[in-house]
Amino acid sequence: MNVLVVNAGSSSLKYQLMDAGTREIFAKGNCERIGLDRGIFGHAVQGEAKVEEEALFPDHRSAIRTVLDHLSELDIAIDGIGHRIVQGGWHFSDSALVDDEVLRKILEVAPLAPLHNYGEAAIIEYCRERFPSLPNVAVFDTSFHMSMPAVASTYPLPREVCEKYHIRKYGAHGTSHRYEWMRAKALLGDSCHRLLSCHLGNGSSLCAIEDGQCRDTTMGLTPLDGLMMGTRSGSIDPATVCYLQREGGYTYDEVDDMLNRQSGLLAVSGISSDARDIRNGAKAGDERCLLAFDMFAYKAMTHAAAMIASMAGVDTITFTAGIGENDWSIRQAFCQTFEWLGVRVDRERNRAEVGGERVISAAGSAVTVMVIPTDEEYMIAKDVERLAF
Ligand code: ADP
């Protein structure tokens, strides 16, 4: 079954056309700078770049139109389309086959993720208009976390405020954490019950998963909460926001921009949001880079302890995404912190420059530690297969 997977961000759109059975990728590419000037369109077929050019994408509809125009030149029938949706709000605890009602709900919850859901809904609308007979499936970043117990998801704010504004912990990266659980369980079988899934990339989050159910996660009402990230602050005292507005004269937009785009690794290092730059800076003795690197690991470890407590234990830890898959030193620092729990990392395995799924814990470790490269696109394609056929 051939599925087009569309992963749209606030100003970008990535896509893959793949066989959900064999995982073969026929075509993939991206549209960058949607809604801005100097857009870029990239399109590769069977791994070979076909287009890499400047383009103008005034909105998300124009981006998906360009993608579908190029895909129509291939001799490959599309059987269904899967859409990554950032926020499913209180409506969706699973992916959903799109009809008018599902689309209405995606728009209803859009105020929780205004930079994402509106554009994603516009893409679905365009796909339905252009191919009325093709099924569209919406796959939400949040739905996996809806199994979280109330003790983890409830915000201790006045009840009527939470109800009126639908304030709770929704989390994010749910498709990635779900994939980590699926693969860990498939590989480890009965020895895997309590998984700590560590998605460490530009955006980072942890998830505590017990027998396939989310027990807790570090992102909150929005993906700003939890770990320190590339440009996002992660958890800080919320009074900082009031203080900046009251004493600093910052507007709402300025604080929003500061917390989401000018904080995290970028702010602490003073040079970059990219972990590779920070690691190089730290190696060269740059003190701000050293602090940024140590803080990233420290925040991940202290939040991990909270996640482990939510499950009253852990038997499996997985690392994924750009930093989790590639940076052995973060993994080592992380695992050493949990030696008191019986975690033993195998130094050589952890440092080996090999890709793919691999165990990095030592024989006799009380916790199995693995690197499992995430594949959200595959998960989305499988959901299309499951719900549309
Ligand atoms: P996103 O959240 O945007 O999908 P990624 O999962 O691609 O992010 O992760 C990006 C992060 O991964 C960057 O901080 C980058 O520096 C880091 N990264 C990528 N490759 C490596 C590597 N080989 N070693 C260390 N860090 C890496």
Side-chain angles (χ1 to χ4, degrees):
M1 212 195 118
N2 301 330
V3 178
L4 172 63
V5 177
V6 181
N7 180 349
S10 53
S11 65
S12 68
L13 184 163
K14 289 187 265 181
Y15 63 93
Q16 284 187 11
L17 178 57
M18 69 157 78
D19 183 323
T22 65
R23 295 177 88 148
E24 182 185 356
I25 297 169
F26 305 117
K28 66 191 282 190
N30 58 324
C31 305
E32 299 289 338
R33 297 179 62 80
I34 297 170
L36 304 167
D37 61 351
R38 294 181 291 113
I40 300 164
F41 177 59
H43 175 60
V45 178
Q46 306 286 6
E48 197 180 312
K50 290 283 179 207
V51 183
E52 185 69 60
E53 63 188 19
E54 276 204 21
L56 196 62
F57 303 118
D59 53 25
H60 286 80
R61 281 178 75 93
S62 60
I64 189 68
R65 184 171 58 236
T66 304
V67 171
L68 292 173
D69 286 349
H70 280 81
L71 291 178
S72 69
E73 289 168 13
L74 308 178
D75 195 18
I76 301 173
I78 300 174
D79 300 309
I81 307 179
H83 303 263
R84 174 195 176 221
I85 308 291
V86 162
Q87 181 56 266
W90 56 98
H91 285 306
F92 298 102
S93 54
D94 191 6
S95 306
L97 185 61
V98 175
D99 56 15
D100 290 347
E101 182 63 6
V102 167
L103 197 53
R104 187 193 63 71
K105 288 176 175 167
I106 292 172
L107 289 169
E108 186 186 348
V109 304
L112 288 166
L115 297 179
H116 290 89
N117 272 39
Y118 290 115
E120 289 158 2
I123 288 171
I124 294 180
E125 277 170 344
Y126 182 83
C127 291
R128 293 179 86 203
E129 282 164 31
R130 183 154 166 173
F131 302 115
S133 60
L134 271 193
N136 287 270
V137 169
V139 179
F140 305 94
D141 259 17
T142 50
S143 56
F144 182 64
H145 303 302
M146 294 305 274
S147 56
M148 228 183 318
V151 71
S153 66
T154 308
Y155 274 27
L157 296 174
R159 193 179 185 125
E160 64 280 10
V161 173
C162 291
E163 282 174 359
K164 180 168 180 195
Y165 296 101
H166 302 283
I167 293 172
R168 54 163 282 162
K169 184 183 274 199
Y170 290 104
H173 288 150
T175 309
S176 174
H177 292 303
R178 185 158 57 105
Y179 181 84
E180 295 293 297
W181 167 259
M182 183 186 81
R183 290 303 304 149
K185 190 71 190 163
L187 293 163
L188 304 173
D190 274 350
S191 65
C192 178
H193 288 288
R194 288 181 284 196
L195 167 69
L196 170 66
S197 168
C198 308
H199 180 117
L200 307 177
N202 246 327
S204 296
S205 72
L206 308 179
C207 187
I209 306 168
E210 194 170 357
D211 290 325
Q213 305 286 304
C214 171
R215 288 282 167 253
D216 204 348
T217 189
T218 55
M219 286 178 167
L221 176 76
T222 76
L224 180 58
D225 203 5
L227 307 191
M228 169 174 153
M229 309 179 214
T231 63
R232 283 175 247 171
S233 64
S235 308
I236 55 168
D237 180 348
T240 315
V241 174
C242 312
Y243 180 70
L244 281 169
Q245 295 190 338
R246 191 182 70 238
E247 295 298 321
Y250 287 89
T251 64
Y252 154 76
D253 283 328
E254 286 166 343
V255 177
D256 187 53
D257 187 63
M258 184 192 297
L259 298 181
N260 278 293
R261 285 174 282 279
Q262 301 173 40
S263 298
L265 290 173
L266 174 65
V268 180
S269 73
I271 58 159
S272 173
S273 62
D274 192 296
R276 282 163 294 198
D277 298 337
I278 314 248
R279 197 165 159 204
N280 289 338
K283 267 195 205 151
D286 182 305
E287 289 199 357
R288 288 182 65 179
C289 288
L290 273 166
L291 179 63
F293 191 78
D294 288 348
M295 279 176 66
F296 182 84
Y298 177 81
K299 304 257 180 211
M301 294 174 315
T302 50
H303 278 87
M307 293 297 113
I308 292 170
S310 78
M311 300 185 284
V314 63
D315 51 57
T316 312
I317 298 175
T318 59
F319 289 98
T320 198
I323 299 172
E325 287 167 35
N326 297 300
D327 196 320
W328 63 264
S329 58
I330 291 279
R331 292 195 301 260
Q332 184 164 303
F334 187 99
C335 291
Q336 277 172 350
T337 303
F338 290 107
E339 279 188 355
W340 58 275
L341 263 181
V343 177
R344 297 282 180 277
V345 75
D346 181 304
R347 233 178 113 76
E348 300 311 315
R349 283 190 200 159
N350 184 38
R351 292 177 72 142
E353 292 204 3
V354 289
E357 294 171 342
R358 55 203 186 271
V359 173
I360 59 166
S361 45
S365 174
V367 177
T368 306
V369 186
M370 296 193 69
V371 175
I372 298 185
T374 193
D375 193 344
E376 289 157 287
E377 278 75 15
Y378 174 69
M379 216 59 208
I380 293 171
K382 291 309 270 185
D383 278 358
V384 175
E385 197 178 55
R386 173 168 64 92
L387 293 169
F389 294 91

